[in-house]
Amino acid sequence: MDPSQPSIPISYPIKTLAELNSRTYFDSFHFPFNIASVPLLNVEKTKVPLPNRGRVLVCHDMKGGYTDDDKWIQGGSSNEETYAIWHWSLIDVFVYFSHSLVTIPPPCWTNTAHQHGVKVLGTFIAEWDEGRKSCDELLKTKESAHMYAERLAELAVALGFDGWLLNMEVELDVGQIPNLKEFTSHLTEIMHSSLPGSLVIWYDSVTIDGKLLWQNQLNEKNKPFFDISDGIFVNYTWQEDSPKLSAAVAGDRKFDVYMGIDTDVALDVLKKDNVSAAIFAPGWVYETQQPPDFQTAQNRWWSLVEKSWGRLHNYPLELPFYSNFDQGHGYHISVEGGQVQNAPWNNISSQSFQPILEYTDSPATIKVSVDFKEASYSGGGNITCKGTLEDDAYFTAKIFQGELVLGDFPLHFTYSVKTAAENSHLGLALEFSSAMNKSKSVLLANWETNQASNKFDLVVSPKQVKKSDTAPEWVIQKSSISMNGYTLTEIQIVCYRSKSSKLKQISDSQAVSLDFSAVLGHIAIKTPDQHTVFPPLSSWVVDSQYIKWTPGSNDSKTLSVKINWKLNNGDDSSFLKYNMYIVKQLSKVSRKLGGAIEESPEYLGVAHVKMFYVSDLVVPATTSALKFIIQVCSIDGTNQKLDHSPFLLIDVPSTT
């Protein structure tokens, strides 16, 4: 691959110090596509050090890194069941790991981790003979150590991730250690000054006397590196007393000690000894194809982490809040109820806020799960509720645990519901608490007073109920509520079955419980002043680069082109996603033969930066022009109408 030439955008590592020093990465065609667009959730809070408690770091090491599922920035292979993490509420720090010298996290991981308040680190690793040669160059002088540290900091700041894991797995001369300390301390200092809240974590490898001896604890052999960084990732083969001994050495910084583990067994020990955990390669669940399927196995494994460590983040934390429960992969893609793609896909950047569904081995009356095969309202996922309920019975399941402090303004809730079984109904239950330890429960539902509604302090009927314009099976419900002085602490799904006109009989005297089936497509929460006003067409500048036409068969052509857009002025921070469509406008000859002026918009993909690369698009001979539409998507879940969206028109050259 020649990174300077246009091609489908990918993420890739830097493999040599010469490449790092030359800064050629910034000249790459792929560089701007690799910039993470999503800021850390609650940025002001994340500018301070990590919370003073035991933390969970996850080191993602799968198949050498940069797999077909995460390196393709605009969407990966057609793997609808790609590996993903959705238990972000249990993670503080995510490290993307490979065995290349400089591992740059693909932006899909940074985007979805940031959305959930999780910091993301790249990896700098020196190993084997090649790593020793790199260290000889890196540590030649104090100036060289500083220069390479500055190159790493520049990469992190430019690409929008939060720091580095340093893994020096080589033997060094003791005379090189002072410059290794200079490299580590300078990187830590410049990261902190350039990006407040950033992290540099040292891996337990080479010791202060230059020996490659994993200590498996914090001690005098590796503490000098701990003292000049933000923490240490301790190797995995520690003994039972290692966490306690490490905590004693760390003193007030005991939570900066991340004890490496690759199973859930040790978590209770680490929690008890007041240190942090570093979970290595949790993707083993996926790679070893744990039964019965990945979704179940992943939920089961992370439920053990939650049982031992507890939940670390709560959502919603700030407004606006929006979730369509998308995990970043699936069998189809929908926009406002209308299906725009009916094919397997994956793009982890498309992951929405993830619900916190409880995992249990025991069968429940209603199974609540994130589903990808059922037609979605938005994206490629939804929450399905299937099972059985008696008439006039209800069932609740928590989907979000919040920490949203409310002021003197109403909250507007919008959510989409689809029911597939007779008399199945779905609403939302909200739990609130106040500083005076008062609690209130509120039911948002469009059914009459019944056994379910009597359990709540307040029942709010939707102010507006309408069917989706593009998919009438979806019902959009809107409600408003004012709870000044309270904190929204929990959101639950409420499944209710109204009395049926017909009962299925298994005998003359006994009625069986009836099927229940309902789907929650999305949920959005915002205040009245957070109504999105999309910029008019005149506010956008759209252009193209690297246009390449290639002749095809039967007078067809293929087109490759990079499309760029930006706002002339104004704030675009609310627009982190853009749906891309193409409209093929037909030639006059085709229209004379009875064809339409143009075809219907065709979905191309999604952009998370203000550019999109179209590769080898087949253009039939009947096409005279191509209209690329950029549908602007707001963080509150609303989308600009296609007719009002910015676009680029490219004429198709005539065949001569």
Side-chain angles (χ1 to χ4, degrees):
M1 180 192 77
D2 181 352
S4 67
Q5 295 303 306
S7 61
I8 299 174
I10 65 168
S11 297
Y12 61 94
I14 292 175
K15 296 185 176 182
T16 67
L17 283 181
E19 186 183 352
L20 177 63
N21 181 26
S22 67
R23 302 177 71 250
T24 54
Y25 182 87
F26 296 105
D27 298 324
S28 163
F29 173 80
H30 304 270
F31 159 62
F33 291 93
N34 275 276
I35 298 173
S37 59
V38 180
L40 266 165
L41 177 67
N42 199 348
V43 173
E44 292 304 317
K45 185 176 180 180
T46 53
K47 286 183 178 179
V48 300
L50 289 166
N52 189 35
R53 54 158 173 76
R55 308 164 197 143
V56 173
L57 177 152
V58 167
C59 187
H60 177 56
D61 178 17
M62 178 180 283
K63 301 178 182 178
Y66 304 100
T67 69
D68 282 343
D69 294 335
D70 66 10
K71 73 178 180 181
W72 303 106
I73 296 170
Q74 294 178 174
S77 59
S78 299
N79 180 8
E80 71 278 358
E81 296 184 355
T82 184
Y83 178 75
I85 289 175
W86 54 90
H87 298 85
W88 296 105
S89 62
L90 309 179
I91 302 170
D92 290 298
V93 181
F94 176 87
V95 178
Y96 192 80
F97 183 89
S98 82
H99 289 278
S100 294
L101 182 71
V102 180
T103 300
I104 298 169
C108 62
W109 288 111
T110 306
N111 284 336
T112 189
H114 276 186
Q115 179 172 229
H116 293 85
V118 176
K119 297 185 180 185
V120 177
L121 308 185
T123 303
F124 182 87
I125 186 171
E127 56 185 348
W128 312 114
D129 292 342
E130 196 63 35
R132 176 57 197 261
K133 292 177 183 176
S134 295
C135 284
D136 288 343
E137 172 63 26
L138 169 72
L139 306 175
K140 186 179 296 183
T141 64
K142 176 181 176 180
E143 289 72 25
S144 64
H146 282 196
M147 183 268 290
Y148 285 113
E150 289 163 9
R151 293 288 188 268
L152 291 178
E154 180 184 33
L155 277 171
V157 173
L159 293 172
F161 60 95
D162 307 295
W164 296 96
L165 172 69
L166 299 182
N167 189 356
M168 314 298 284
E169 296 212 33
V170 290
E171 293 268 347
L172 295 175
D173 296 333
V174 69
Q176 294 175 301
I177 297 302
N179 284 340
L180 178 58
K181 291 173 68 176
E182 286 287 343
F183 171 70
T184 305
S185 62
H186 191 61
L187 177 59
T188 304
E189 291 166 6
I190 198 169
M191 281 301 311
H192 289 178
S193 62
S194 303
L195 186 65
S198 57
L199 301 172
V200 174
I201 294 180
W202 177 264
Y203 187 78
D204 169 29
S205 48
V206 70
T207 64
I208 196 65
D209 52 11
K211 303 297 183 183
L212 182 57
L213 290 173
W214 297 271
Q215 299 300 294
N216 300 302
Q217 66 182 67
L218 179 65
N219 60 21
E220 72 281 357
K221 296 289 187 180
N222 51 30
K223 188 172 183 292
F225 301 111
F226 174 78
D227 290 340
I228 54 177
S229 63
D230 296 301
I232 186 170
F233 185 147
V234 173
N235 194 50
Y236 315 98
T237 54
W238 44 268
Q239 303 300 312
E240 188 173 351
D241 61 348
S242 299
K244 185 178 294 184
L245 293 172
S246 298
V249 173
D252 292 341
R253 292 185 61 202
K254 59 188 177 184
F255 296 129
D256 293 336
V257 178
Y258 299 85
M259 303 296 294
I261 59 172
D262 52 12
T263 69
D264 61 274
V265 177
L267 281 168
D268 289 338
V269 175
L270 303 184
K271 184 75 170 178
K272 175 177 63 72
D273 289 335
N274 281 324
V275 291
S276 293
I279 301 173
F280 184 74
W284 70 270
V285 175
Y286 182 86
E287 291 187 272
T288 57
Q289 299 181 338
Q290 292 295 296
D293 56 73
F294 173 54
Q295 288 282 320
T296 303
Q298 175 94 321
N299 288 331
R300 180 174 57 222
W301 192 86
W302 282 98
S303 73
L304 299 175
V305 176
E306 181 177 0
K307 181 180 178 182
S308 175
W309 214 259
R311 189 170 291 112
L312 306 176
H313 304 286
N314 293 324
Y315 326 107
L317 186 63
E318 59 188 26
L319 295 176
F321 177 81
Y322 173 82
S323 178
N324 61 10
F325 322 115
D326 196 327
Q327 285 186 4
H329 57 92
Y331 296 85
H332 58 262
I333 295 175
S334 296
V335 176
E336 295 179 348
Q339 193 169 101
V340 297
Q341 177 175 313
N342 186 22
W345 66 280
N346 67 76
N347 186 334
I348 299 171
S349 275
S350 295
Q351 194 173 111
S352 184
F353 273 105
Q354 292 301 293
I356 50 170
L357 303 179
E358 181 182 2
Y359 174 82
T360 177
D361 287 320
S362 304
T365 304
I366 300 292
K367 181 181 180 182
V368 180
S369 61
V370 174
D371 181 77
F372 314 103
K373 295 184 178 179
E374 180 79 33
S376 302
Y377 178 78
S378 173
N382 51 58
I383 294 181
T384 61
C385 306
K386 293 184 178 181
T388 56
L389 273 181
E390 298 285 352
D391 280 355
D392 204 27
Y394 74 100
F395 174 91
T396 64
K398 179 165 62 176
I399 58 172
F400 291 108
Q401 183 167 305
E403 198 176 329
L404 182 63
V405 179
L406 307 181
D408 188 18
F409 48 78
L411 288 182
H412 290 343
F413 287 81
T414 304
Y415 56 101
S416 52
V417 175
K418 179 174 63 174
T419 57
E422 182 186 7
N423 299 334
S424 295
H425 303 278
L426 192 148
L428 297 177
L430 313 174
E431 297 290 335
F432 297 91
S433 66
S434 72
M436 305 301 292
N437 292 323
K438 292 182 179 180
S439 61
K440 279 192 177 182
S441 58
V442 178
L443 174 65
L444 308 181
N446 65 339
W447 57 76
E448 301 295 329
T449 302
N450 51 51
Q451 178 183 338
S453 57
N454 292 336
K455 301 293 183 181
F456 297 89
D457 297 317
L458 179 65
V459 178
V460 178
S461 297
K463 289 184 177 180
Q464 182 179 357
V465 179
K466 69 173 186 177
K467 292 186 176 181
S468 167
D469 295 334
T470 53
E473 67 271 19
W474 287 100
V475 177
I476 315 303
Q477 305 193 18
K478 296 186 178 183
S479 302
S480 295
I481 183 172
S482 294
M483 296 292 293
N484 186 20
Y486 281 81
T487 297
L488 175 61
T489 58
E490 196 168 303
I491 302 175
Q492 302 173 355
I493 276 184
V494 181
C495 303
Y496 170 68
R497 183 171 184 83
S498 58
K499 289 185 178 180
S500 177
S501 58
K502 297 179 181 179
L503 289 178
K504 299 177 182 179
Q505 300 290 329
I506 59 172
S507 71
D508 292 339
S509 60
Q510 184 180 12
V512 299
S513 53
L514 301 173
D515 289 342
F516 181 94
S517 180
V519 181
L520 181 65
H522 83 288
I523 180 173
I525 312 172
K526 58 185 178 182
T527 59
D529 62 341
Q530 290 176 324
H531 175 70
T532 297
V533 177
F534 290 101
L537 274 174
S538 58
S539 298
W540 294 94
V541 176
V542 186
D543 62 30
S544 61
Q545 291 177 285
Y546 309 109
I547 294 179
K548 179 183 178 183
W549 293 99
T550 304
S553 59
N554 300 321
D555 292 331
S556 67
K557 302 177 180 65
T558 62
L559 170 66
S560 295
V561 60
K562 181 188 175 193
I563 304 169
N564 311 287
W565 57 93
K566 65 179 181 179
L567 271 178
N568 262 329
N569 49 56
D571 180 18
D572 61 2
S573 61
S574 294
F575 310 131
L576 304 179
K577 172 184 169 185
Y578 304 85
N579 291 326
M580 302 296 300
Y581 296 85
I582 184 172
V583 175
K584 295 174 182 175
Q585 298 184 347
L586 303 184
S587 64
K588 291 181 180 179
V589 173
S590 299
R591 280 181 257 168
K592 287 180 180 179
L593 295 175
I597 295 176
E598 60 184 28
E599 297 180 359
S600 299
E602 176 186 344
Y603 180 77
L604 290 178
V606 61
H608 294 273
V609 288
K610 296 178 188 66
M611 61 193 71
F612 189 82
Y613 187 69
V614 178
S615 177
D616 295 329
L617 176 74
V618 177
V619 182
T622 54
T623 305
S624 62
L626 300 171
K627 182 180 182 181
F628 293 96
I629 302 175
I630 304 153
Q631 185 180 40
V632 185
C633 307
S634 174
I635 57 175
D636 66 4
T638 56
N639 305 310
Q640 191 167 26
K641 298 297 183 184
L642 289 184
D643 291 345
H644 301 156
S645 297
F647 65 90
L648 174 71
L649 193 65
I650 297 180
D651 291 326
V652 178
S654 59
T655 302
T656 57

